[in-house]
Amino acid sequence: MLVIFDYSKRRTNMKKKTISVLLAAAMVVGTFAGCGSSPAPAAPAEEAAPAEEAAPAEEAAPAEEAAPAEEAPAEEAAPEEAAAPALEGTVKVAAFEGGYGADMWTEVAKAFEASHPGVTVELTVDKKIEDVITPGMKAGDYPDVVHCATGREAGLTETLAREKGLLPLTDVMDMTVPGEDVKVKDKIVPGFLDTLATNPYGDGVTYYAPMFYSPCGLFYDAGLLEEKGWALPTTWDEMWELGDKAKAEGISLFTYPTTGYFDAFMFALLSSAGGSSFFDQCMTYSEGVWESEDARKVFDIVAKLAEYTEPTTVANANNESFTKNQQLILDDKAIFCPNGTWLPGEMADAPRGENFKWGFTAIPAVNAGGAGCSFCWFEQMWIPAAAENQDLAKEFVAYMYSDEAAAIFAGSNAIQPIVGIGESLEGDNKLFYSVYDTGATAVMGGFAATTPVEGTTMADALFETVNSIVSGDKTVDEWIAAVTEVSDKYRAAME
């Protein structure tokens, strides 16, 4: 079942990931393809008249000569169309090096150069790409293309959105994919261009190109559950029962890499608790929404989960030690860890038990009879409004959706949101990306963009506080009050 909640009619907000456009099976396997064609040139009709004047003595001649006269412009138009994409120069590309690694960017840059003679890609890839490019941007030296998702600690992407520093990409969506005969927008899985995660102002204009989508949920050792004879929980009551069984054997129910991973986790919970309309209200800072009964369900679940969280989690929930928390799953010291599909690759060389095998499931349903939810997180690529080489930048972004680029990315398990990509997936990826085929509802979107709010963020209030809940330094009531206060500030900052 495919369910899409359209928030384009609403005016507002966004953060890393999500509003709630809910879509299911179409995520992995699509059957949509569209081919763009150019309208026939109008010039031939105008050029026919001179052809008739060429043979005044014979009336039949003009008719015979008119045909080649009409064909000539068509033949001349072809070289013009072919010449249009022949861009030259240097395009500066800055990309975040995530769990997929940097090699794929080098390979894609080389492939782009090979398919675009006369073009050079000046590539910068770094795990802290914001720190690398921000000083230059402040001095007026901008990359032409930036791959950097929303929701990161530095908040660079959101800052550019709030300061209206992004170039609209709607015309890129109408471009033909380089080397193919299909438009970019027809290559992208339906739903991805209808969310605040791509249209941060809620005005129907695309500013973020969707990249590398990943179903998010709970990862676990399927071998452990099989060995113990424990059933996979689908409700939170079943989750607490499993937690008690595991605790009796010295195993914790839960851990998390860093509090940043609670965005996808809590967005899925919010959607499950109150549905799409409620989720929309959360993402647009509606008055009183965080004090509602549905929101309280979510806060209470996280607070109870804190009681089942592995004791060393908080100490290692930082950018330097987060893999220690992920290792807890491989060591069977904790059962579940929220994460995205990059986790197996990130932990590929880590030790594990003989019977370990990756398992993946949606976030359990909040309400009885409800469906589990899996937040579909994706990264973003964008063009600064101050980019110097905008035509080259647009060509590079369009190329990201070519079969050639998608295959290169897929080799590093970075899956582009293009129609039909699921048909080529194998092994663990088939398991992960089939979560929407097995009953889970997909959630997409994020907090709406606003004018800058100094001194605080929704991420700090909503997600970073989880450490304090787990450690017992804050209560749920204090948490709700803090989130409400920050949400009120963002509502006031909405334009």
Side-chain angles (χ1 to χ4, degrees), residues 70-122:
E70 290 177 0
E71 291 174 7
E75 294 174 359
E76 292 174 8
E80 291 177 7
E81 291 179 3
L87 302 168
E88 294 184 350
T90 298
V91 58
K92 295 187 292 184
V93 177
F96 165 66
E97 180 187 348
Y100 305 123
D103 291 347
M104 65 180 189
W105 286 109
T106 301
E107 191 175 348
V108 161
K110 290 180 179 177
F112 181 75
E113 290 176 339
S115 63
H116 292 74
V119 174
T120 299
V121 178
E122 185 179 303

Side-chain angles (χ1 to χ4, degrees), residues 300-324:
D300 285 343
I301 285 174
V302 176
K304 187 165 184 177
L305 197 55
E307 302 172 12
Y308 291 90
T309 298
E310 203 278 338
T312 65
T313 295
V314 173
N316 293 315
N318 54 67
N319 291 334
E320 289 70 39
S321 304
F322 71 95
T323 55
K324 292 181 180 179

